[in-house]
Amino acid sequence: MPAASGSPSRPHKTSGPVSDAGFVLDVRSLGRRPGTMRELRRTVTDHERLGLDLIAIPADAAVELDLQLQAVSEGVLVTGTVSGPTVGECSRCLEPFDDQVEIRLTELFAYPDSTTEQTTEDDEVYRMEDDLIDLEPVILDAIGLELPLQPLCTPDCAGLCPECGVRMAIAGPDHGHEILDPRWAKLANFAAEAPGTGDPAEGSTTPDRSAPAADDARVVSENTEEK
């Protein structure tokens, strides 16, 4: 039963590995006697980008392999760690950031003439080709599961201000926006545009139109008395 990597599917390459370099391992010196083991440490710098859309190991970054190869009855069991630097974009504040990732591998590569190779589908187990093991698809699967789909520059990243878009990390504690309830917006506009009514303490500012009429009546009365 092959060791599972946790990946639901395994890509099948149309052209196999050709040499012992990079992520390709030559296991001829290991032999096929079950129990034979070999340690392998290697730094790989010639590779494509490894990861997800928002975070990945960049192309040609130093990837450290610290592995143990063990011959078993059905193939070669590869265990150990793969680590390297990652470059990402924070999903909250959109700022770039650097980090590190380390993944653990436990994967069986079946011999070409083994029962496992003959009784499994291409996407169910990895296979050896000409005593060579290509670790790149294994690493791609494992990194895709290890890295977050929504990476953060810090666990408590406050993101962006929803009103102006500034990063909250640099906005300061007093940053804010006065937001008027839309239900009161028209009332506020009406209050700003309406004419003033004067000081209530001084009474109404409407002119007293009764004064001229009173004066006219007094003049008429005086004229009548003189006659």
Side-chain angles (χ1 to χ4, degrees), residues 2 6 12 24 28 30 34 50 57 97 114-115 118 125 131 136 148-149 155-156 217 226:
H12 179 67
V24 178
R28 284 176 292 185
L30 183 65
L50 306 169
I57 297 177
F97 68 95
S114 65
T115 302
Q118 295 173 1
V125 68
D131 293 313
E136 185 174 359
L149 292 174
D156 58 347
E226 291 178 355

Side-chain angles (χ1 to χ4, degrees), residues 148-170:
L149 292 174
Q150 296 182 323
L152 299 176
C153 57
T154 59
D156 58 347
C157 175
L160 303 176
C161 172
E163 296 300 319
C164 66
V166 69
R167 273 201 310 139
M168 297 303 295
I170 62 174

Side-chain angles (χ1 to χ4, degrees), residues 55 57 62 64 83-87 97-102 146-147:
I55 185 170
I57 297 177
E64 303 294 335
S83 59
T86 58
V87 174
F97 68 95
D98 301 328
D99 205 349
Q100 291 280 328
V101 64
E102 179 177 287
E146 182 68 21
L147 295 177

Side-chain angles (χ1 to χ4, degrees), residues 69-139:
L69 313 179
Q70 180 179 0
V72 295
S73 59
E74 292 295 301
V76 174
L77 182 65
V78 179
T79 58
T81 61
V82 177
S83 59
T86 58
V87 174
E89 179 182 285
C90 181
S91 60
R92 288 183 185 169
C93 69
L94 309 181
E95 285 295 300
F97 68 95
D98 301 328
D99 205 349
Q100 291 280 328
V101 64
E102 179 177 287
I103 56 175
R104 293 199 61 83
L105 298 182
T106 302
E107 196 64 58
L108 176 69
F109 286 81
Y111 293 133
D113 56 353
S114 65
T115 302
T116 297
E117 194 275 339
Q118 295 173 1
T119 59
T120 56
E121 300 294 332
D122 287 347
D123 60 352
E124 292 178 342
V125 68
Y126 290 103
R127 289 161 166 76
M128 295 173 50
E129 297 183 31
D130 299 326
D131 293 313
L132 296 175
I133 288 175
D134 187 2
L135 285 178
E136 185 174 359
V138 184
I139 294 171

